[in-house]
Amino acid sequence: GEREMSTNNSRRRRVLLPVDITSSSEEMCAWACENFFRPSDIVTVLSVAKKQIVPHGSSYFGLSHDHSEAEAVLHAQEWIETHIKPRLEKCGCGVEVIVKLLETDKHHVAEAIIEESKRVDENENSRYKFEAIVLASHKRGAIKEFFLGSVANYVLHHANIAVVVQRMK
C-alpha cells in the first residue's frame, strides 16, 4: 500500500504520469522531479490523443486537417520525447511513453487514465503495475469544474492506487 510505497526506498516504484501536450505538463513534470520522483522510479508517460473531426482550416495538435491520426500520435510522442522525457531522465527516472488515440472528451480521458492505472503487473498477477498516478489540476474555476467535470477530480475519486494532484497556475 501507500506505506510500502513511502518506506521501501530500495524497490523501484512505477508511476503513471498523464500529460496533455501543454506547458502545464512540463511544469508538472518539473514539480514532480523536484518533489515526488526518486532516481530509481520508472515513469510511464501517458498522453490521450483525441480523435476528432477537424474542420477545414483548423488544426489538431498543431497539425492541419489533412494529417492522419497516426501523425497526431507521432506528434504527441515526439513532443513527449523532447519536452518530458529529458526532464525525467535528468532526475534519474526510467521512462516509458504511451500515446492512446480515442474518440473522447474529458470524461473519457480520465477513464483512459484509470484504465491504464489498473493494468496488472505481468510478473505479479495480484499487483497493479503502478503504485501512484501523478497529475496536474488546472485552475479553471469552481463553476466550470462543476459543470464540465475535471480529469483530476475523476481520477482522484476512481483510482485504486495513490494519486498525487498538483494544482497548476
Side-chain angles (χ1 to χ4, degrees):
E2 291 178 25
R3 170 173 265 171
E4 179 185 330
M5 184 178 76
S6 64
T7 60
N8 188 348
N9 291 329
S10 64
R11 198 165 65 80
R12 295 182 77 157
R13 295 184 305 177
R14 294 200 56 106
V15 181
L16 184 61
L17 178 68
V19 299
D20 63 0
I21 317 299
T22 66
S23 61
S24 291
S25 290
E26 290 180 89
E27 292 170 29
M28 178 61 203
C29 183
W31 178 89
C33 283
E34 178 91 14
N35 297 288
F36 184 79
F37 295 140
R38 296 190 303 238
S40 61
D41 288 346
I42 300 170
V43 179
T44 298
V45 181
L46 171 66
S47 178
V48 181
K50 295 177 231 174
K51 285 184 189 179
Q52 59 188 33
I53 298 169
V54 180
H56 184 72
S58 62
S59 65
Y60 173 60
F61 276 138
L63 303 172
S64 66
H65 69 284
D66 57 347
H67 284 79
S68 71
E69 291 171 347
E71 287 171 311
V73 169
L74 181 61
H75 179 74
Q77 288 171 328
E78 288 172 350
W79 188 91
I80 292 167
E81 293 284 335
T82 57
H83 293 86
I84 301 297
K85 189 174 180 179
R87 289 176 187 263
L88 294 171
E89 289 173 339
K90 186 175 180 180
C91 69
C93 295
V95 182
E96 172 187 27
V97 176
I98 299 173
V99 177
K100 291 187 172 190
L101 186 64
L102 304 173
E103 281 187 44
T104 188
D105 58 20
K106 282 185 182 184
H107 185 72
H108 291 100
V109 168
E111 287 177 345
I113 294 168
I114 292 298
E115 179 183 314
E116 189 64 31
S117 76
K118 290 183 177 179
R119 284 196 346 202
V120 175
D121 190 326
E122 300 86 26
N123 301 321
E124 300 181 41
N125 292 336
S126 62
R127 278 179 62 93
Y128 289 121
K129 179 176 179 178
F130 301 103
E131 294 176 60
I133 303 168
V134 177
L135 73 159
S137 177
H138 306 284
K139 286 188 176 180
R140 292 194 171 95
I143 294 174
K144 282 186 180 180
E145 188 167 311
F146 177 78
F147 287 109
L148 298 176
S150 162
V151 171
N153 191 36
Y154 185 93
V155 170
L156 191 60
H157 288 92
H158 291 85
N160 292 334
I161 58 176
V163 178
V164 177
V165 179
Q166 172 63 21
R167 179 76 74 178
M168 304 310 294
K169 297 175 184 173

